[in-house]
C-alpha cells in the first residue's frame, strides 16, 4: 500500500553535511531506536534536534530512510490532523475511519510499516505517544519538540542540550571562514548553543556590533574595567539611570554573561573593547562599592582598579586594611600584575606579596638588593614558595634574623629531599646562643618532620615527645602545629595529625605569612582526606585549592601530586599520568616530590601496565625514595621480572613504607602460589590500615585478601573481604574499587564480556583471559586465572592480538551474549539454535545445503527450502544483530552464511 517513492512533502530531509559536537547523542539515539518504538527529542528551539535525528536515520538506518515519513504540522494545525493528512497520502483511497484521531494516525503508520518523524510540539496530552510506546510493532516514531513528555514517557525522552562552544566555533568558521577571532567569540556567545541562532547572527552581521550609547555605554565601560562579576544593585548604584532592561540587553547580544555572582563582560567583548579608562568619579564610586561588599575578591579588584586609574593612595589604604584577606582568598593575578608594574613606595610591601603570590621567578630575583630588612624573610619565603629553594637558602644568609633564617633554610632543604642538610641546619640553629621558647619549639617540630621524612621514626617521635607549646605567640604556634601535623602524617599517625591540624585551623588568622601557613594547612587537610578515604570531601577540597593556588608555585606542585593521588584512587590512571607529565619538569630538582610521582606511577602500572614508568635514582635517600623503589619492585614483580630489586629495610618504618613492603610481600607470595602466606600478610595489612585510618590502603589490602582467598578457594574469606571492599568503594567514591569488589571468576560469560570491555584494570584483564585472550595478563593475573580451571571461551572469528569487545555463543546454556553483556536465550527457538550451532561448528562458512540438512534433517531442495532458510536467518539476525538490515554478525556468503569477522565471536563449548 505504500507508494514508491514517497511524495516529496513526506520525505525525510537530508541531514546537514557534517555533524558537529553531537557524536555521543547520536550513539544514544541509534541505540534507543534499535530497542524502542518511540523517541522524544526535546530541548530549547534552535539547538539542532531535527538535524541530529535526520543524521542518525540517514547514517545508522539507511535502509529505512525510503520509508521514513516527515510530518510537520502547519500553523494552527493539530499534530494528529497533520499526521492523518500526511499519512493518508500513502494510500490509494481516501482514508475514512470511525477511529479516534490519535488511534487513526497510529493505525495508518502501523499498517504502512513506516518510521515517522514528527517535527513540532505534540498536543492532546501525549496520547498518541503513549499509544506508540505501548502498541507499536511495525512503525517507529520520533517526536521533535521543545516540551519534554510527562512522567509516564520519560524513559523514551532525550534532552538535546545547547551545543558546546567548541562545536559552535567549528560551525561558525565553516559558515564564515573570514570571521575574526574576537567577532567569532562574541557571535558564539550570543548564539547560546543554538546553531540556528548562530547562522542568523552571522548572516545579519551582528557579531561585532558594539554600538551602544547613553547609560548602556557607561555600564559597558564599568564591565570592561572590572574583571570580577558585579551585582545588578552595584551597577544601579553607580549608574542609577541604567535600567535593568538596558543591562540584560547586553547579555542578549552576547556582550555580557549573567552569572549567579553577578554580571561579567564576555572575554571576547573585552578583547574587542580593549582597555577602558574610567571617569575619575565613576572609578571612585566603583572602588567604594566593591570595597563595601566585604568580599576579598571584590576588594582586590577595587585595589587593582585604583592602581590602574592612578589613585595609589586609595589603593594603599584598601590593601593596608584588607590586603592579607585578599591575598589569602586568591586568585589575585590581576592585582598582582598591577602591583608589580607600580613602583610607588607606599605599595612596596604589597608588591613583594604579589611577587610571592605569583611565584614569578624573575620578579622575585629582581628584588634582590631592594628588600627592607623587615621583609627579608618574607622574600626568602617567597623564593621558597616559587621553588627557588637554593636561592631561598642564600637569601636567608643576608637576613638580620639568622635563627628564623636558619629555619627557612632547613625547610628548603627538607622540601628538596636533602634531609641531611636540613637536619644540619637545625643543629647549627640549636648551637646559636639564645633563641627562646619560640625558636626551640619551631626547630623541634621541624626536626621531627625531617626525621619522619628521612624514615627515622624513633628519632621523630623523640623530638615530638619533648616539644612544648607553652608560651608561644599565635604566629609561631601556627607554624609549629603545621610541622607537628605534617610529621604525624608522615609517620602514619592520622588521628594525631588530624588533632594538630584541627588546632591549627581553629587558630589561623590573616597576616602577611598566615596565608602560606593556611594554604599548607589546606594541602595537608586534602592529603589526610585522601588517606582516610573521604573521596567526596577530598575532591571538593582539591577543587577549592585549585582555585586559590598558582600552578607554578611550590604549593601548585604539591597540589598536582594530591590530584594525581586522587585520580589513582578512582582508577583514572591515564588522567593521572597527564597531571604528572605536566608537573614533571618542575620536579627535576625536588627529590621528595619526584619520588612521590614515581611511587604513584608504579602503583598505576599495577592497574594499567601501558603507563610509562618513572624511575628514582638509587642514590636518593629518605622515606619516599624507599617507598618509590618498593612500588617499582611491585610492578616489576607483576611483569615477571626475575631480578626484582628490593630496597634495604628501615627499622620501625612509617606506615606508608610498611604497607608498601607488606604489599610487595603478599604479591610475591601470590606469584609463588603461596596463598596461605599471602592471605595472612594481606589480612594483617588490612587490619593495620583500618586501625590507622588509612581506608584507601585498607581497600588495596582487601584486594590482596580476595586474591589470596581465591587461590586457596576460601570462599568465606573472599566473600567477607569483597563485602567490605564494596562498602569502602562507596566511601572512597572510587569506580576502581567498585570494579575490584566484583568476583570476576564466578561471572557468566555475558558478564565477563561486559567486564572485559571496561577500563584497563586487573578485573578487565582477568575477564579477557577467561574469554580466551590472555596476552595482557600480568603474573598475578595468570596465577589466579589458572586456578580457575582455564579459559572458558575460545575465539572463533575476528581475533586480534589486542582486545576487542565482541559477542559469543554459549553452547552449554543455549544462549547468545552481546558485547554489552545482554543475553538472548534460545531454549524456545530450537530451529534457530540449530542454525547457530552449525555456524559455530564451521566459522568460515556453511553452504545452504548443509545448513538445511543440519537444521531440519532433510535433503536440500532450493524451491522447498531457500525461503525457509532465508526466514530462519532473518529471525536470527533480528535477535542478535545491531542492525538486521546490515548484518555483520551473520553475513551472507556466495554459497550460504558464516559468522562475521568484524568483531570477535567467542564460543563456550558444551561441558
Amino acid at each position: 500500500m505504500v507508494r514508491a517513492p514517497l511524495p516529496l512533502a513526506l520525505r525525510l530531509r537530508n541531514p546537514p553535511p557534517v555533524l558537529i559536537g553531537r557524536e555521543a547523542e547520536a550513539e544514544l539515539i541509534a541505540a534507543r531506536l534499535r530497542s524502542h518504538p518511540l523517541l522524544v527529542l526535546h530541548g530549547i528551539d534552535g539547538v539542532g534536534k531535527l538535524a541530529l535525528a535526520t543524521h542518525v536515520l540517514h547514517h545508522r538506518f539507511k535502509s529505512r530512510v525510503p520509508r521514513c515519513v516527515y510530518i510537520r504540522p502547519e500553523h494552527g494545525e493539530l499534530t494528529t490532523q497533520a499526521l492523518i493528512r500526511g499519512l493518508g497520502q500513502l494510500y490509494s483511497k481516501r482514508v475514512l475511519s470511525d477511529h479516534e484521531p490519535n488511534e487513526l494516525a497510529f493505525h495508518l503508520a502501523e499498517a504502512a510499516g513506516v518510521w515517522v518523524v514528527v517535527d513540532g510540539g505534540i498536543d492532546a496530552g501525549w496520547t498518541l505517544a503513549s499509544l506508540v510506546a505501548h502498541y507499536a510493532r511495525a512503525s517507529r516514531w520520533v517526536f521533535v519538540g521543545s516540551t519534554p513528555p510527562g512522567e509516564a514517557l520519560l524513559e523514551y525522552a532525550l534532552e538535546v542540550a545547547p551545543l558546546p562552544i567548541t562545536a559552535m566555533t567549528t560551525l561558525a568558521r565553516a559558515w564564515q571562514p573570514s570571521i575574526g577571532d574576537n567577532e567569532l567569540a562574541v557571535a558564539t556567545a550570543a548564539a547560546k548553543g543554538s546553531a540556528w541562532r548562530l547562522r542568523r547572527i552571522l548572516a545579519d552581521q551582528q557579531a561585532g556590533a558594539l554600538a551602544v550609547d547613553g547609560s548602556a555605554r557607561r555600564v559597558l565601560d564599568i564591565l570592561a574595567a572590572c574583571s570580577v562579576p558585579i551585582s545588578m544593585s552595584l551597577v544601579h548604584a553607580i549608574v542609577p539611570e541604567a535600567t535593568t532592561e538596558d543591562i540584560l540587553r547586553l547579555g542578549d547580544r552576547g556582550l555580557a554573561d549573567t552569572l549567579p555572582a553577578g554580571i561579567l563582560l564576555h572575554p571576547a567583548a573585552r578583547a574587542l573593547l580593549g582597555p577602558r579608562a574610567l571617569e575619575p568619579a565613576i572609578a571612585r564610586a566603583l572602588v567604594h562599592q566593591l570595597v563595601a561588599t566585604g568580599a576579598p575578591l571584590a576588594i582586590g579588584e577595587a585595589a587593582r582598579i585604583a592602581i590602574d586609574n592612578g589613585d595609589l593612595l586609595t589603593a594603599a589604604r584598601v590593601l593596608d586594611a584588607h590586603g592579607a584577606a585578599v591575598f589569602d582568598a586568591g586568585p589575585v593575578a590581576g592585582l598582582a600584575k598591577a602591583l608589580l608594574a607600580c613602583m610607588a613606595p607606599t605599595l612596596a610591601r604589597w608588591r613583594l606579596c604579589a611577587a610571592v603570590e605569583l611565584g614569578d621567578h624573575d620578579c622575585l630575583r629582581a628584588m634582590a638588593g631592594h628588600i627592607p630588612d623587615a621583609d627579608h624573610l618574607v622574600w626568602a619565603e617567597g623564593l621558597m614558595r616559587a621553588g627557588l629553594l637554593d636561592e631561598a637558602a642564600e637569601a636567608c644568609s643576608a637576613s638580620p634574623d639568622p635563627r628564623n633564617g636558619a629555619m627557612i633554610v632547613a625547610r628548603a632543604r627538607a622540601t628538596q629531599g636533602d634531609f641531611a642538610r636540613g637536619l644540619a641546619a637545625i643543629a647549627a640553629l640549636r648551637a646559636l646562643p639564645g633563641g627562646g621558647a619560640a625558636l626551640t619549639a619551631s626547630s623541634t617540630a621541624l626536626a621531627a618532620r625531617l626525621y619522619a621524612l628521612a624514615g627515622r621514626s624513633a628519632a621523630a617521635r623523640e623530638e615530638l615527645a619533648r616539644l612544648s607549646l607553652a608560651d608561644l605567640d599565635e604566629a609561631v604556634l601556627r607554624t609549629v602545629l603545621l610541622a607537628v601535623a605534617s610529621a604525624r602524617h608522615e609517620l602514619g599517625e592520622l588521628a594525631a595529625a588530624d588533632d594538630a591540624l584541627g588546632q591549627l585551623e581553629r587558630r589561623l588568622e590573616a597576616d602577611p605569612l598566615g596565608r602560606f601557613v593556611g594554604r599548607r594547612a589546606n594541602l595537608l587537610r586534602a592529603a589526610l582526606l585522601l588517606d582516610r578515604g573521604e573521596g567526596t570531601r577530598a575532591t571538593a577540597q582539591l577543587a577549592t585549592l585549585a582555585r586559590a593556588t598558582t600552578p607554578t608555585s611550590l604549593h601548585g606542585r604539591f597540589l598536582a601530586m594530591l590530584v594525581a593521588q586522587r585520580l589513582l584512587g578512582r582508577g583514572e590512571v591515564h588522567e593521572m599520568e597527564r597531571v604528572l607529565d605536566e608537573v614533571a619538569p618542575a620536579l627535576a630538582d625536588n627529590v621528595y616530590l619526584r619520588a612521590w610521582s614515581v611511587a604513584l606511577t608504579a602503583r598505576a602500572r599495577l592497574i594499567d601496565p601501558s603507563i610509562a614508568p618513572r624511575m628514582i635514582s638509587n642514590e636518593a635517600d629518605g622515606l619516599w625514595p624507599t617507598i618509590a623503589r618498593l612500588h617499582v619492585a611491585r610492578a616489576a614483580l607483576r611483569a615477571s621480572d626475575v631480578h626484582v630489586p628490593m630496597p634495604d629495610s628501615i627499622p620501625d618504618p612509617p606506615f606508608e613504607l610498611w604497607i608498601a613492603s607488606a604489599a610487595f610481600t603478599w604479591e610475591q607470595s601470590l606469584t609463588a602460589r603461596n596463598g596461605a602466606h599471602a592471605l595472612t600478610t594481606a589480612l594483617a595489612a588490612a587490619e593495620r590500615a583500618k586501625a590507622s585510618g588509612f581506608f584507601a590502603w585498607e581497600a588495596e589490602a582487601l584486594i590482596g585478601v580476595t586474591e589470596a582467598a581465591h587461590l586457596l578457594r576460601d570462599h568465606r574469606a573472599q566473600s567477607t573481604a569483597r563485602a567490605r571492599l564494596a562498602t569502602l568503594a562507596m566511601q572512597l567514591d572510587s569506580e576502581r574499587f567498585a570494579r575490584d569488589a566484583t568476583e570476576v571468576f564466578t561471572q557468566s560469560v555475558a558478564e565477563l564480556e561486559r567486564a572485559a570491555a571496561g577500563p584497563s584494570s586487573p578485573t578487565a584483564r582477568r575477564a579477557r583471559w577467561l574469554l580466551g585472550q590472555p596476552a595482557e595478563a600480568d603474573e598475578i593475573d595468570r596465577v589466579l586465572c589458572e586456578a580457575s580451571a582455564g579459559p572458558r571461551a575460545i575465539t572463533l572469528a575476528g581475533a586480534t592480538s589486542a582486545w576487542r569487545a565482541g559477542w559469543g555463543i554459549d553452547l552449554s546454556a543455549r544462549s547468545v551474549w552481546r558485547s554489552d553483556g545482554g543475553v538472548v536465550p534460545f531454549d524456545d527457538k530450537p530451529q534457530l539454535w540449530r542454525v547457530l550451532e552449525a555456524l559455530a561448528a564451521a566459522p568460515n562458512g556453511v553452504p545452504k545445503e548443509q545448513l538445511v540438512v543440519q537444521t531440519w534433517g532433510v535433503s536440500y531442495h532450493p524451491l522447498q527450502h531457500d525461503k525457509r532458510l532465508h526466514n530462519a536467518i532473518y529471525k536470527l539476525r533480528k535477535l542478535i544483530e545491531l542492525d538486521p538490515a546490515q548484518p555483520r554478525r551473520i553475513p551472507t556468503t556466495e554459497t550460504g552464511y558464516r559468522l562475521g569477522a568484524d568483531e570477535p565471536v567467542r564460543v563456550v563449548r558444551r561441558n
Side-chain angles (χ1 to χ4, degrees), residues 765 768-769 772-778 782 800-803:
R765 292 197 301 270
R768 295 170 186 179
W769 196 98
Q773 192 157 349
E776 299 174 11
D778 66 21
R782 283 190 285 271
T800 60
S801 58
W803 170 263

Side-chain angles (χ1 to χ4, degrees), residues 732-789:
L732 296 165
D733 186 22
S734 171
E735 297 176 9
R736 164 196 171 190
F737 290 123
R739 286 192 299 268
D740 290 334
T742 303
E743 171 52 278
V744 69
F745 297 106
T746 61
Q747 289 183 329
S748 68
V749 285
E751 292 169 326
L752 286 175
E753 189 75 52
R754 184 169 55 245
S760 180
S761 66
T763 298
R765 292 197 301 270
R766 292 162 194 176
R768 295 170 186 179
W769 196 98
L770 293 171
L771 288 174
Q773 192 157 349
E776 299 174 11
D778 66 21
E779 187 63 23
I780 292 180
D781 297 332
R782 283 190 285 271
V783 168
L784 298 177
C785 289
E786 287 169 1
S788 301

Side-chain angles (χ1 to χ4, degrees), residues 243-568:
T243 66
T244 300
E245 290 73 18
D246 290 336
I247 300 169
L248 294 178
R249 197 172 296 118
L250 297 175
D252 293 338
R253 299 179 61 182
L255 300 177
D257 293 324
T258 302
L259 309 172
I263 306 158
L264 183 67
L265 193 68
H266 192 276
R270 190 181 302 280
L272 284 175
L273 288 167
R276 312 298 290 175
L278 293 173
E279 300 174 13
I282 292 289
R284 285 193 298 272
L286 180 57
V287 169
H288 174 75
Q289 293 290 339
L290 288 171
V291 172
T293 65
L297 290 180
I299 295 171
E301 185 67 2
R304 183 195 64 77
I305 291 170
I307 295 171
D308 286 349
N309 285 273
D311 193 352
L312 303 184
L313 186 59
T314 296
R317 252 194 329 264
V318 169
L319 289 174
D320 288 343
H322 308 283
V326 168
F327 276 89
D328 191 45
V332 293
L335 173 60
K337 184 177 179 180
L339 283 166
L340 292 175
C342 177
M343 302 305 295
T346 54
L347 295 171
R349 184 185 187 200
W350 299 108
R351 185 164 58 253
L352 172 59
C353 288
V356 171
E357 178 68 25
L358 292 180
D360 189 311
H361 294 191
D362 294 334
C363 289
L364 286 165
R365 286 169 172 152
M367 291 181 176
H370 303 283
I371 302 296
D373 288 347
D375 291 330
H376 220 91
L377 291 183
V378 177
W379 179 50
E381 184 83 19
L383 291 167
M384 195 175 87
R385 291 288 170 247
L388 302 173
L389 302 176
D390 287 327
E391 292 177 53
E394 179 65 26
C396 291
S397 63
S399 170
D401 185 352
R403 297 180 181 85
N404 284 312
M407 286 292 295
I408 292 179
V409 171
R411 286 171 49 211
R413 299 310 181 199
T415 304
Q416 288 177 311
D418 192 345
F419 307 120
R421 291 177 71 186
L423 288 167
I426 289 179
L429 165 64
R430 288 173 169 173
L432 293 172
L439 189 61
T440 299
S442 298
S443 61
T444 301
L446 183 55
R449 182 165 184 259
L450 284 167
Y451 280 127
L453 285 168
R456 298 170 60 181
S457 302
R461 293 190 179 99
E462 288 176 7
E463 294 285 349
L464 291 169
R466 63 169 172 259
L467 177 64
S468 173
L469 303 182
D471 302 322
L472 299 180
D473 63 34
E474 282 296 318
V476 173
L477 184 58
R478 290 197 294 272
T479 59
V480 169
L481 285 172
L482 179 63
V484 170
S486 298
R488 295 292 187 188
H489 178 242
E490 299 297 345
L491 290 170
E493 300 171 2
L494 297 189
D498 185 69
D499 179 67
L501 186 58
Q503 293 183 54
L504 170 60
E505 289 168 336
R506 290 189 290 272
R507 292 175 178 274
L508 277 175
E509 296 178 2
D511 70 10
L513 289 178
R515 63 184 175 279
F516 300 132
V517 176
R519 290 189 188 172
R520 289 162 62 193
N522 290 336
L523 286 165
L524 182 54
R525 173 58 66 194
L528 284 172
L529 290 172
L530 287 171
D531 287 336
R532 296 176 68 159
E534 299 185 45
T536 303
R537 287 186 62 196
T539 299
Q541 179 81 353
L542 292 172
T544 300
L545 284 165
R547 290 192 293 269
T549 304
T550 306
T552 57
S553 69
L554 193 59
H555 288 159
R557 298 170 208 176
F558 273 94
L559 176 60
M561 303 306 299
L562 292 173
V563 169
Q565 183 175 328
R566 173 60 178 146
L567 292 169
L568 173 64

Side-chain angles (χ1 to χ4, degrees), residues 571-595:
E572 299 173 21
V573 291
H574 288 284
E575 182 64 16
M576 184 212 79
E577 185 179 34
R578 183 192 64 77
V579 170
L580 292 180
D581 283 343
E582 288 180 354
V583 78
L587 307 184
D589 59 349
N590 192 309
V591 176
Y592 171 31
L593 294 184
R594 193 166 70 252

Side-chain angles (χ1 to χ4, degrees), residues 207-227:
L210 294 175
V212 295
D213 51 25
S215 60
R217 185 68 192 190
R218 297 177 71 189
V219 171
L220 200 61
D221 288 343
I222 291 171
L223 295 178
C226 198
S227 60

